[in-house]
Amino acid sequence: MTYHLRRKETVKAGIVRIAGSQISTAIEEIDDTELDRHEVVHQIRKRCKKLRGLIRLIRPAFPEYRKENVFFRDAAAELSEIRDAQSIIDSFDTLIKYNENKAAVPFEAVRRNLVERRREIAENTSSLEAGLKNFRSRMVQARERIMTWKITEEGFDAVADGFMKTYKRGRKAFTKAYEVPSAENFHEWRKRVKYHWYHCRLLRQIWPEMLKVHRQTADCLADLLGDDHDLAVLKEILKRDSRHLVTSEKLDHIFTLIDERRLELQFQAKFPGERLYAEKKKHLSKRFGSYWMSWRR
């Protein structure tokens, strides 16, 4: 429960504390030999996303934003292929469960293919342990560097522009996703929702009861859009993979199931999206600014 700003500390002190906590936890997870290594990859990539959400909140007041954002993005990207291979299998398993009453669907053959693909990716990767070792080295460097971070504003001024910029981009992405419902547009919206969720977690103490519902809505929405994206990626992988063990006709049937499920997920996402992005940016900024001032007093 350390991923939030505290009332009795400056914004800079809070940002450094939170960044240090995420980085140290990532290092501890790598050092814990009892943890499954693929789960470690999953967890430390999440740490990087939370770190990017953190610095995005203070973006206009943080001169080193661009450099640090690229640093944490690239650190996570080096471990993405192995984790994504597992995520695709998880997505396929969810599709199987959702359609378990469908007869004559060649799920097992396709799943074997995805498992084989994951094995090959793991073997072709230079070394999972080497990748984790390199990631750990990067995090040690980052932990030392955060103590020198400069933030040019204080109070709500330090977080307002970053918070509102992310919200505004999410609002636009929401509209675009339903106007032009492509996999790319829904994925872009999902990223904006995720950052907004991180920001609401960071600011949750300004009014915990109110922001709890807001955060839960963003979290649920990000999950729906994440499931939609995983299915879109799954379909593209199955299209490209010439080793599949079923006929094209049966594979087309699986594609139909994927498309049907994606439409359901997109339909389910619209209502929470309308609620989450009901306000214009300036109205939300004024409201949250008032909450902040009351909280600080």
Side-chain angles (χ1 to χ4, degrees), residues 26-37:
I27 294 172
E28 291 170 6
E29 288 166 341
I30 293 172
D31 292 344
D32 189 345
T33 57
E34 294 185 2
L35 289 177
D36 176 79
R37 306 320 278 166

Side-chain angles (χ1 to χ4, degrees), residues 255-272:
F255 290 163
T256 298
L257 297 179
I258 291 174
D259 292 342
E260 289 175 352
R261 180 57 180 151
R262 288 193 64 216
L263 285 174
E264 290 178 5
L265 290 166
Q266 291 169 16
F267 178 80
Q268 292 171 14
K270 191 168 186 180
F271 180 58

Side-chain angles (χ1 to χ4, degrees), residues 99-118:
N99 293 280
E100 58 187 357
N101 62 334
K102 303 283 186 180
V105 179
F107 285 131
E108 291 185 6
V110 176
R111 192 182 191 282
R112 284 197 300 271
N113 185 46
L114 294 173
V115 172
E116 175 64 15
R117 174 179 176 271
R118 180 187 61 187

Side-chain angles (χ1 to χ4, degrees), residues 186-202:
F186 272 98
H187 181 46
E188 185 64 27
W189 180 31
R190 188 243 181 180
K191 290 190 292 184
R192 303 305 174 192
V193 171
K194 200 77 174 180
Y195 281 128
H196 183 62
W197 176 57
Y198 287 138
H199 290 176
C200 289
R201 292 178 65 185
L202 289 163

Side-chain angles (χ1 to χ4, degrees), residues 53-282:
L54 175 69
I55 61 176
R56 192 173 291 262
L57 179 64
I58 55 167
R59 181 175 183 173
F62 183 39
E64 298 299 308
Y65 166 77
R66 188 176 299 277
K67 182 181 74 174
E68 296 291 4
N69 182 58
V70 170
F71 176 86
F72 291 117
R73 182 199 67 193
D74 291 350
E78 291 182 2
L79 296 168
S80 65
E81 192 173 18
I82 293 175
R83 176 59 200 172
D84 290 346
Q86 179 60 46
S87 296
I88 293 303
I89 296 174
D90 294 341
S91 179
F92 191 72
D93 287 344
T94 302
L95 184 68
I96 293 174
K97 185 176 181 180
Y98 190 77
N99 293 280
E100 58 187 357
N101 62 334
K102 303 283 186 180
V105 179
F107 285 131
E108 291 185 6
V110 176
R111 192 182 191 282
R112 284 197 300 271
N113 185 46
L114 294 173
V115 172
E116 175 64 15
R117 174 179 176 271
R118 180 187 61 187
R119 184 189 64 78
E120 291 180 357
I121 288 174
E123 288 181 352
N124 291 332
T125 303
S126 57
S127 167
L128 176 56
E129 288 301 327
L132 289 172
K133 183 178 180 181
N134 183 55
F135 182 93
R136 188 187 189 284
S137 177
R138 281 172 170 257
M139 291 302 104
V140 170
Q141 296 171 18
R143 187 165 57 182
E144 296 174 356
R145 196 168 58 246
I146 63 173
M147 302 307 297
T148 66
W149 282 359
K150 305 292 184 184
I151 300 176
T152 60
E153 301 286 351
E154 188 47 65
F156 191 64
D157 289 342
V159 302
D161 288 345
F163 181 70
M164 294 309 146
K165 188 172 186 178
T166 296
Y167 177 81
K168 181 179 179 181
R169 286 182 171 180
R171 203 165 184 258
K172 288 183 176 180
F174 166 50
T175 300
K176 186 175 181 179
Y178 286 98
E179 288 180 347
V180 185
S182 65
E184 293 77 10
N185 286 343
F186 272 98
H187 181 46
E188 185 64 27
W189 180 31
R190 188 243 181 180
K191 290 190 292 184
R192 303 305 174 192
V193 171
K194 200 77 174 180
Y195 281 128
H196 183 62
W197 176 57
Y198 287 138
H199 290 176
C200 289
R201 292 178 65 185
L202 289 163
L203 297 175
R204 63 177 177 261
Q205 290 300 316
I206 67 174
W207 189 352
E209 296 81 6
M210 186 280 296
L211 272 175
K212 181 178 180 180
V213 176
H214 195 93
R215 287 188 290 111
Q216 288 174 338
T217 301
D219 189 21
C220 176
L221 182 54
D223 285 344
L224 290 170
L225 296 174
D227 290 345
D228 173 71
H229 175 65
D230 288 344
L231 286 171
V233 174
L234 171 64
K235 184 176 179 180
E236 289 304 310
I237 287 174
L238 293 178
K239 280 183 177 180
R240 295 196 307 263
D241 194 343
S242 60
R243 302 169 304 165
H244 56 71
L245 307 176
V246 296
T247 64
S248 59
E249 181 181 353
K250 290 183 177 180
L251 199 60
D252 285 342
H253 184 37
I254 293 179
F255 290 163
T256 298
L257 297 179
I258 291 174
D259 292 342
E260 289 175 352
R261 180 57 180 151
R262 288 193 64 216
L263 285 174
E264 290 178 5
L265 290 166
Q266 291 169 16
F267 178 80
Q268 292 171 14
K270 191 168 186 180
F271 180 58
E274 289 173 341
R275 281 189 159 182
L276 194 67
Y277 293 105
E279 291 180 273
K280 291 184 177 180
K281 181 188 73 168
K282 63 180 181 180

